[in-house]
Structures are given as C-alpha cells and as structure tokens.
Amino acid sequence: LADLESEEAETEISKIEQAQKKVQDKIRKLYPDLETGYSYSLLINGFSCCIPENIINEVRRIPEVKSVVRSRKRKAPDMTFA
C-alpha cells in the first residue's frame, strides 16, 4: 500500500485536483450555475455535479471527460414502523 501522505502522492493528488478544476471550468462555460458535490481522487478521478439534461452531450464532448453517468433519485423507505 502506497503512502498517501508522501510527497509523491501529494503531487499526484494535486495534479488530479487541477485536472478536475479544468474540466469544471469548461462545464461552467456551458452552465455557469455549476455546483460540484463529491470529488474522487484516490481510486478514480472524478467528481459529482448536477447539470441540466440538455447539456449532457456537450459535457461528454469535452476531451478530458471519459464518461458522464446519470444518477437516479432513490426514495428512502418509510421507517415509521419497524
């Protein structure tokens, strides 16, 4: 297991964060109200965000974007009674 606090690891994480910011800036040109959620940089390089459905294909065409996955809303079960 690599040392995630090593200088090498911190450099790699910084590169990933910069790459994510670059993509987010490109998305903001399409959708200025972009708000991001979670950021992933350990096992995968990605982030979550909400964008209008009508710009999904434009986001997919950004060269640095490997995929866009649409999440589904899930309703929590009613836990009134157990």
Side-chain angles (χ1 to χ4, degrees):
L1 187 63
D3 181 5
L4 296 176
E5 294 181 7
S6 70
E7 187 175 323
E8 182 181 4
E10 288 181 12
T11 299
E12 288 303 311
I13 291 169
S14 178
K15 287 179 187 177
I16 290 170
E17 289 170 346
Q18 289 172 16
Q20 289 179 10
K21 183 179 181 327
K22 181 179 177 182
V23 170
Q24 292 167 9
D25 290 345
K26 289 182 177 186
I27 296 172
R28 275 194 184 88
K29 288 181 181 178
L30 301 170
Y31 182 62
D33 294 332
L34 178 72
E35 291 185 23
T36 59
Y38 293 104
S39 178
Y40 308 95
S41 60
L42 187 56
L43 298 175
I44 61 170
N45 176 3
F47 59 90
S48 66
C49 65
C50 292
I51 57 174
E53 192 167 334
N54 65 328
I55 69 163
I56 289 175
N57 286 331
E58 291 177 79
V59 170
R60 285 185 172 127
R61 288 191 285 272
I62 295 172
E64 298 87 356
V65 174
K66 301 295 181 205
S67 68
V68 176
V69 178
R70 186 177 181 185
S71 65
R72 292 185 238 159
K73 289 186 179 185
R74 306 236 185 240
K75 184 177 179 184
D78 182 7
M79 297 300 288
T80 307
F81 301 100

